[in-house]
Amino acid sequence: MMSYGVELCPIQAWDLPTLRRWRNQDEVRRQMVDQTLISPRQQRQWFVSLSERSDQQHWVLHCRGIRAGYINLKGECNAPLQGQAVADAGLYLGNSTVRHPMLAVAAALSQLDQGFDELHIGCICTLVRENNRSALRLNEQLGYRQVGQENGFFALELLPADYYAARERLRRFFR
C-alpha cells in the first residue's frame, strides 16, 4: 500500500524492537492514554494477540524503504474491521533519517485512505491530548471535528465526506 510517498506494511516480528523503542520514548509515550513503559515480553504478547484480532489492523509506516512510524485502526466492536460503523485511529512517528515536516500528513492520509476507501469504515475517531497542538492542527486539516473532551484529551471524529474534502486540499503537496 504505497501512496503519498509512504508505504503501510503489516507489522512483522522484526519490527517490534524498533516500534517498542519509539513507543517508549517520552515524546511519544506522554501523548498516549496508557503511558506505561512497554517491556519486550508485553510487546511480544501484544503481537501474538494481533493474529487473533480481525477487528484491528496495525502497520509500520515506511518512507524511502526506512521504518518511520506506526499506524493502526481498531474497530469499536469485536467483528471484522471491514465495514464497521466506527473505528479508532492511532499513529506515531519514530525517530528516523526520513522524518520530515510532511511525514505526519502523508502517514495520516494513508491511514485514512485505508479506513475509508479500503475498509469502508463509517466514522474514524481519535483522542488527542489537549496540549498536543501539532496533532490537533493536523487533525483539523484532515477534517476531524471535536466532539468531546475527557481526562485531558479532545475526542475527535471524522466522517468520509469531511475527509474527502480535506484530502483534495492536501493532495496537492504530494503530486
Side-chain angles (χ1 to χ4, degrees):
M1 300 176 275
M2 178 107 174
S3 56
Y4 311 105
V6 297
E7 184 176 13
L8 301 183
C9 302
I11 292 178
Q12 302 297 320
W14 55 78
D15 295 314
L16 296 179
T18 300
L19 294 179
R20 187 174 64 80
R21 186 177 67 249
W22 290 342
R23 162 59 176 82
N24 283 341
Q25 288 177 330
D26 288 345
E27 70 181 61
V28 172
R29 186 174 49 82
R30 288 186 179 143
Q31 300 305 319
M32 301 206 169
V33 174
D34 179 0
Q35 296 184 15
T36 58
L37 291 171
I38 305 299
S39 71
R41 182 173 185 262
Q42 288 171 308
Q43 190 180 42
R44 281 191 305 276
Q45 289 173 332
W46 167 79
F47 180 69
V48 168
S49 75
L50 295 183
S51 65
E52 303 166 6
R53 305 291 306 252
S54 65
D55 62 329
Q56 301 179 11
Q57 289 195 14
H58 301 261
W59 299 278
V60 175
L61 176 74
H62 288 247
C63 181
R64 296 185 211 132
I66 297 171
R67 279 187 209 105
Y70 163 77
I71 291 175
N72 70 50
L73 289 169
K74 299 177 183 179
E76 71 169 357
C77 60
N78 191 10
L81 186 57
Q82 180 82 29
Q84 284 211 24
V86 179
D88 180 63
L91 178 157
Y92 63 81
L93 299 179
N95 290 330
S96 71
T97 58
V98 293
R99 192 157 179 175
H100 57 82
M102 292 301 290
L103 186 59
V105 177
L109 289 170
S110 294
Q111 174 191 51
L112 296 170
D113 282 359
Q114 280 298 305
F116 291 127
D117 295 343
E118 302 299 322
L119 295 169
H120 306 288
I121 294 169
C123 176
I124 295 180
C125 299
T126 194
L127 293 175
V128 177
R129 196 162 289 285
E130 293 170 351
N131 64 356
N132 191 343
R133 296 288 163 218
S134 60
L136 289 168
R137 196 169 35 256
L138 169 62
N139 286 313
E140 181 181 301
Q141 291 172 339
L142 293 164
Y144 278 94
R145 295 175 192 220
Q146 184 181 336
V147 294
Q149 197 171 358
E150 54 187 76
N151 300 324
F153 288 87
F154 288 118
L156 308 175
E157 77 173 20
L158 180 60
L159 299 173
D162 295 326
Y163 171 62
Y164 292 137
R167 180 176 71 181
E168 286 310 306
R169 290 188 300 274
L170 293 169
R171 274 186 168 168
R172 67 186 166 155
F173 296 109
F174 298 95
R175 293 184 187 183

